[in-house]
Amino acid sequence: MRLFRSILEHLTPTIKESNMEISKEGISLIKKFEGCELKAYRCAAGVPTIGYGSTHGVTMDMEISQERADMLLLEDIEKFEQAVNDLVEAPLKQNEFDALVSWTFNLGPTNLKNSTLLKVLNSSHPDWNDIPAQIKRWNKAGGKVLQGLVRRREAEALLFEGKEWHEV
């Protein structure tokens, strides 16, 4: 009976018991690539944006304080942390989670949900070496490759691998 229980435990998928939260390192990456604008502007995809990339309810006539930009960032991050926690079945290290939250912050939960990146992560035997390449594929806005997105994806891929990304 003990052998049977051991085999069953080994074959039963592990259920993630806790929700992860982004670290200061992950927030630093988001801040570096989003920048902070206190007056509304149109991002590369043409969407009205303010603060560190906040888009919800933003109109082009908006202006906010630095304190409000910081609050919006933390509010926004919670949504993307939850998306990564809900969609990714594989256990993640902190640096991997941080990279995926940054990626999802920039691209949105729908893109994560429909991505090959997620399919690779959630496969029964994920190819962890393929994840950075999957992260880097998402370097376009409006159908055009943007160098800012190339750099951001490179930084996210390096963070995912636990490597130095600050110089990207």
Side-chain angles (χ1 to χ4, degrees):
M1 187 67 169
R2 204 176 304 171
L3 176 62
F4 176 74
R5 185 177 302 137
S6 174
I7 292 170
L8 185 60
E9 287 172 358
H10 179 73
L11 294 176
T12 304
T14 303
I15 297 172
K16 293 197 303 188
E17 294 180 15
S18 65
N19 282 338
M20 295 183 76
E21 294 180 1
I22 197 168
S23 71
K24 289 180 182 177
E25 189 77 4
I27 292 172
S28 292
L29 191 150
I30 291 171
K31 282 183 168 183
K32 175 178 178 164
F33 287 98
E34 290 294 335
C36 184
E37 295 289 336
L38 301 179
K39 290 184 178 184
Y41 66 97
R42 289 197 185 276
C43 70
V47 178
T49 306
I50 202 163
Y52 295 100
S54 294
T55 59
H56 183 74
V58 176
T59 59
M60 290 306 297
D61 61 340
M62 287 179 71
E63 192 169 339
I64 60 173
S65 66
Q66 182 63 52
E67 182 180 359
R68 182 67 181 136
D70 292 338
M71 289 174 57
L72 284 172
L73 175 63
L74 296 177
E75 290 171 14
D76 288 345
I77 283 174
E78 284 182 13
K79 293 179 269 188
F80 301 110
E81 287 171 330
Q82 194 60 53
V84 172
N85 279 313
D86 289 348
L87 294 170
V88 177
E89 297 167 4
L92 298 170
K93 296 176 188 168
Q94 186 66 53
N95 56 292
E96 296 166 343
F97 181 80
D98 290 350
L100 293 173
V101 171
S102 174
W103 190 95
T104 306
F105 184 97
N106 186 238
L107 294 161
T110 302
N111 281 322
L112 177 62
K113 184 177 181 179
N114 297 322
S115 69
T116 304
L117 169 61
L118 185 67
K119 289 179 181 80
V120 172
L121 281 165
N122 287 345
S123 69
S124 58
H125 300 288
D127 180 357
W128 292 97
N129 294 322
D130 187 37
I131 304 300
Q134 293 298 325
I135 289 171
K136 292 178 191 180
R137 291 179 59 203
W138 293 77
N139 60 6
K140 297 178 184 77
K144 297 177 183 175
V145 173
L146 298 181
Q147 285 309 304
L149 290 178
V150 170
R151 288 179 44 248
R152 182 177 185 147
R153 297 291 101 82
E154 177 67 21
E156 290 165 346
L158 288 168
L159 178 58
F160 187 90
E161 295 175 298
K163 296 178 180 174
E164 174 57 43
W165 61 269
H166 296 89
E167 299 300 318
V168 174

